[in-house]
Amino acid sequence: MFNFNNKSRVKIIVTAGPTREFVDPIRFLSNPSTGRMGYFIARACVNQGYKVTYIVGPVPVMFSKIKGAKNISIISTQDMLNSVLAELKSGSVLVMAAAPADYHPEKSYKHKIKKTETPYIHLVPNPDILKTVKKYIELKKLKDVILVGFAAETSNPEKNALKKLEEKKLDIIFLNDLSKAGSGFRVETNQLTVFRKDGSCQKWKKDTKERLGYRVLEEIEKWLES
Ligand code: CTP
């Protein structure tokens, strides 16, 4: 199914950046992701000749679009999920480098909340995109879909990454240990450890996210060829 003689026929969907969940018209829940890692993965895929869909949350303008990719801007986790499902076809690779918000307020106020109001904000869970995608693949009987995730961890990193690989039924997961200097949000470098479904793993040296974009793609290509 994955024909490397014609890379433009292999579709790679890359998500990047945070999502926002609005509490009122001007305030939201989010996280400090800038989309840098996902941006450089998607750019490496375009540069290597793949057909790329880049689904991106609210990020700095330099990471918001990629020449040569189909660019889709989204705001909330539900928006991101809808776009991923709309793009997913048999023979695609989904790289979930985004940091989607896991909760949204049950009620979003229509007006700006005033200081005098002391609001009560009840949070309800967002769908897990990767888990929903897995069910969708089964429902629609899609074939040859590769799922790649990232694990952002501050404690028990290896254990948690492996748990996510298994629970989200991924092919590959890249661990991002947020407790390490030069790794994670708002920095130009990352130190990644790759865990594969076959039980193998490898710790990579710290490197720029730009170079790691190519390494992540090479890792996916190796997996597709194996
Ligand atoms: N992810 C997802 N849907 C969500 C949240 C995360 O598909 N609602 C994806 C991320 O893009 C990433 C992987 O799941 O590829 C792991 O994300 P992470 O934030 O590390 O973990 P969570 O699944 O959100 O779990 P926890 O917050 O409990 O660590």
Side-chain angles (χ1 to χ4, degrees), residues 19 39 41 44 51 55 76 92 150 154 162 192 199 206 211:
T19 59
Y39 172 85
I41 297 169
K51 183 176 173 188
I55 302 175
S76 68
S92 355
F150 276 75
T154 55
L162 278 169
L192 299 179
K206 189 168 87 178
R211 273 196 295 269

Side-chain angles (χ1 to χ4, degrees), residues 25-215:
I26 58 163
R27 301 180 179 105
F28 51 81
L29 301 170
S30 193
N31 62 65
S33 167
T34 60
R36 188 188 296 266
M37 188 68 250
Y39 172 85
F40 282 119
I41 297 169
R43 219 178 64 167
C45 296
V46 170
N47 289 346
Q48 294 302 324
Y50 290 95
K51 183 176 173 188
V52 178
T53 300
Y54 181 54
I55 302 175
V56 64
V59 294
V61 66
M62 65 207 279
F63 301 131
S64 64
K65 277 195 173 68
I66 295 173
K67 205 169 158 223
K70 175 175 178 184
N71 296 290
I72 302 177
S73 297
I74 57 83
I75 302 288
S76 68
T77 296
Q78 186 63 50
D79 293 343
M80 183 173 275
L81 172 61
N82 295 345
S83 297
V84 167
L85 295 183
E87 287 297 308
L88 203 71
K89 304 276 175 303
S90 289
S92 355
V93 178
L94 170 64
V95 184
M96 281 294 303
D102 287 328
Y103 293 90
H104 67 273
E106 187 174 35
K107 168 186 171 190
S108 177
Y109 287 73
K110 296 275 173 281
H111 63 278
K112 180 189 171 203
I113 302 166
K114 304 304 285 179
K115 273 204 277 291
T116 46
E117 286 183 75
T118 320
Y120 170 76
I121 301 165
H122 179 62
L123 298 179
V124 291
N126 276 331
D128 185 285
I129 297 176
L130 281 165
K131 285 185 184 168
T132 312
V133 161
K134 197 74 195 180
K135 285 194 201 132
Y136 180 83
I137 291 168
E138 282 157 21
L139 186 76
K140 297 283 177 183
K141 299 189 169 55
L142 301 184
K143 294 213 168 46
D144 299 318
V145 178
I146 302 294
L147 298 181
V148 179
F150 276 75
E153 305 296 341
T154 55
S155 55
N156 298 323
E158 282 86 11
K159 192 170 155 237
N160 283 326
L162 278 169
K163 196 164 161 234
K164 282 175 189 169
L165 178 76
E166 216 175 284
E167 283 181 1
K168 298 185 192 235
K169 301 189 175 72
L170 307 177
D171 295 280
I172 305 173
I173 195 159
F174 293 94
L175 164 65
N176 217 339
D177 185 347
L178 302 180
S179 69
K180 297 262 160 60
S183 211
F185 294 138
R186 289 192 293 203
V187 288
E188 287 187 18
T189 53
N190 248 353
Q191 191 273 302
L192 299 179
T193 305
V194 51
F195 295 90
R196 308 173 193 92
K197 192 166 76 175
D198 62 9
S200 62
C201 77
Q202 200 178 14
K203 193 170 182 166
W204 293 351
K205 285 208 181 79
K206 189 168 87 178
D207 207 344
T208 63
K209 289 181 180 172
E210 182 162 12
R211 273 196 295 269
L212 284 169
Y214 284 94
R215 278 203 79 182

